[in-house]
Amino acid sequence: MPSASPLPIPKFTPCAPTKESLDYVDLINIDLSKFDNPSTRKDLAKELLDGVTKHGFLTISNHGISQSLYESQVSLAHAVMTLPPEEKAPYEATPEEDAKGRYVGFKPAGQLGIKGGFHKTLDHYNILTYDPENHKHPEILRPHMGEVHELISFIRTNILRKLLALMAMVLEVPEEKMAATHAFGVESTEYLRYMIYNPRSSDDNQKYRDLYLAGHTDWGSFTFLFSQPISALQILTMDGEWKWVQYLPQSLVVNVGEALELLTGGLFKATIHRVVKPPVDQEREKRIGVIYFARPVDDQRLEPIESPLLARLGIDKPLDATVYTMADYLNARKHGYKRLDFDHDRPRQDGYHADPFHGKYTDPEGFKALGV
């Protein structure tokens, strides 16, 4: 007998965009439909350079992800993230995986997750792109893994690869050179993340200074976020001002991570960003995220690639005293290497406000931590 069709996932309908007047950042938009034309591709390369040097954030339109896949992924993320705790528990990341900065499964419950900087009302589920251990997934997700892999493959082959090609044009290097930093079939820690920010109590908002996720930079190369109507994402501009990222339907919000900054000698900026309490007309709504974190392969050394442009600009030397591989860099960052407090506009009062990281991170027995 043929197997039964998977039960449909209930459609999640996000709330309406805020009606409040917010101070939005003006981001460069990359229209990927122009990529296939050689003349307009040159324009895209210029726009990419402008976007990554001005803000380190940009948006992508006409990316090719169908509206049906885009919407069904948001609904699937909502279904997974609203499972009861007892159904999430078997699929939490192990302490060893968490200590390596290898994000897989649900955020660890209790103190381990909180010490990683994640408040109890925030949860996420991570699906590795390269998963030799073949981690099991929650039952509700299993029938839909074909769709999940379709999304991951599309982002890698039709969006990430095009951005890397534009990078090659900017850096004046062969396209294959940039593509090799994110090679297919090679060990890497790229992953798709489903995320939920649940509404918080007034007391918790005060305790955490209205921060849902404190100011930080991502650790990989490019981060791809499904744009969503709940306003909560802010970036720190070069002028030292926090500005809101505006909702653009069906688009992707893309930001540069630290690995890409290190690979380009600081030309591509890993911009500090955070998640804050939404405006009043949205603050009681669930905020659902679908995010893809691209990272160089595990053995990629995080130092400037050989580039005529970087040499001319005099930024072809390593930014950090220690040059880590991508895998080792994740280990070091997980253990406090280069961790800074970026939320100076919201001073923390000892004894009243909570530290987002809640003290020292505890490793599994025998784990070799780097960067400490």
Side-chain angles (χ1 to χ4, degrees):
M1 285 183 65
S3 59
S5 300
L7 292 175
I9 296 294
K11 181 176 175 58
F12 174 72
T13 303
C15 71
T18 183
K19 295 180 181 178
E20 289 194 23
S21 178
L22 303 177
D23 187 11
Y24 292 114
V25 63
D26 184 19
L27 297 180
I28 297 292
N29 180 69
I30 301 289
D31 181 353
L32 268 192
S33 66
K34 299 177 180 179
F35 181 85
D36 292 332
N37 184 315
S39 61
T40 53
R41 186 183 300 185
K42 291 180 181 178
D43 294 334
L44 288 185
K46 293 176 183 177
E47 291 172 359
L48 175 64
L49 180 60
D50 190 14
V52 299
T53 54
K54 186 177 181 181
H55 290 306
F57 264 73
L58 48 90
T59 58
I60 294 182
S61 60
N62 294 317
H63 41 69
I65 300 173
S66 68
Q67 182 173 346
S68 60
L69 180 58
Y70 195 102
E71 293 177 352
S72 66
Q73 277 295 297
V74 174
S75 295
L76 187 56
H78 175 259
V80 171
M81 298 317 305
T82 52
L83 288 172
E86 62 272 16
E87 292 188 33
K88 292 181 177 180
Y91 306 100
E92 289 180 6
T94 67
E96 290 78 13
E97 289 168 333
D98 192 68
K100 292 178 182 178
R102 189 168 186 259
Y103 294 119
V104 56
F106 287 105
K107 176 194 80 175
Q111 290 302 304
L112 188 59
I114 293 173
K115 288 178 181 177
F118 301 109
H119 184 269
K120 61 186 177 183
T121 56
L122 183 159
D123 199 4
H124 49 71
Y125 184 78
N126 306 305
I127 303 166
L128 290 170
T129 300
Y130 177 83
D131 186 13
E133 290 98 349
N134 196 24
H135 288 83
K136 293 189 179 300
H137 300 288
E139 187 174 352
I140 194 172
L141 182 56
R142 292 172 201 166
H144 304 277
M145 286 305 297
E147 177 186 311
V148 171
H149 291 308
E150 176 188 352
L151 175 67
I152 290 174
S153 177
F154 190 92
I155 290 174
R156 293 211 81 216
T157 59
N158 292 279
I159 303 176
L160 173 61
R161 183 160 284 183
K162 289 176 180 178
L163 286 187
L164 293 174
L166 295 176
M167 271 192 71
M169 295 175 67
V170 168
L171 299 177
E172 302 168 15
V173 299
E175 189 173 319
E176 296 76 18
K177 187 182 186 76
M178 284 309 309
T181 62
H182 291 67
F184 286 85
V186 180
E187 288 193 29
S188 74
T189 53
E190 290 193 356
Y191 60 101
L192 178 71
R193 169 173 287 181
Y194 296 151
M195 203 163 192
I196 187 169
Y197 296 84
N198 287 296
R200 292 196 308 210
S201 67
S202 296
D203 286 346
D204 265 3
N205 277 330
Q206 291 180 17
K207 182 179 179 182
Y208 286 88
R209 300 171 288 160
D210 287 341
L211 296 170
Y212 274 59
L213 196 57
H216 66 284
T217 48
D218 292 345
W219 300 347
S221 51
F222 287 111
T223 301
F224 302 89
L225 167 70
F226 280 26
S227 185
Q228 55 180 280
I230 295 186
S231 295
L233 178 61
Q234 294 182 334
I235 74 168
L236 187 62
T237 68
M238 291 186 182
D239 295 327
E241 297 180 304
W242 286 102
K243 295 204 171 192
W244 299 79
V245 174
Q246 189 169 16
Y247 169 58
L248 296 173
Q250 299 295 318
S251 70
L252 297 175
V253 178
V254 182
N255 64 278
V256 172
E258 294 174 16
L260 213 54
E261 183 172 81
L262 294 170
L263 287 172
T264 61
L267 180 64
F268 284 47
K269 305 296 184 185
T271 298
I272 300 157
H273 55 288
R274 68 185 183 187
V275 179
V276 300
K277 181 171 70 70
V280 173
D281 58 351
Q282 295 180 319
E283 65 177 321
R284 304 313 303 165
E285 302 289 341
K286 290 179 291 188
R287 184 173 183 266
I288 302 296
V290 178
I291 314 165
Y292 188 77
F293 292 89
R295 289 174 172 172
V297 294
D298 283 359
D299 61 1
Q300 175 68 49
R301 286 172 58 83
L302 299 184
E303 59 188 347
I305 64 172
E306 292 185 17
S307 155
L309 176 65
L310 299 185
R312 288 199 305 274
L313 295 175
I315 54 174
D316 54 347
K317 302 296 187 292
L319 294 178
D320 292 347
T322 302
V323 176
Y324 289 108
T325 63
M326 185 71 248
D328 287 346
Y329 188 76
L330 296 175
N331 179 329
R333 288 295 275 118
K334 188 70 181 182
H335 294 88
Y337 176 62
K338 298 201 295 189
R339 180 178 294 161
L340 298 170
D341 179 9
F342 299 112
D343 301 292
H344 302 301
D345 62 321
R346 303 186 181 196
R348 185 168 67 86
Q349 179 182 334
D350 288 337
Y352 178 70
H353 291 123
D355 184 330
F357 290 95
H358 286 262
K360 187 177 179 180
Y361 185 89
T362 303
D363 283 313
E365 185 177 352
F367 183 83
K368 183 181 179 181
L370 300 175
V372 293

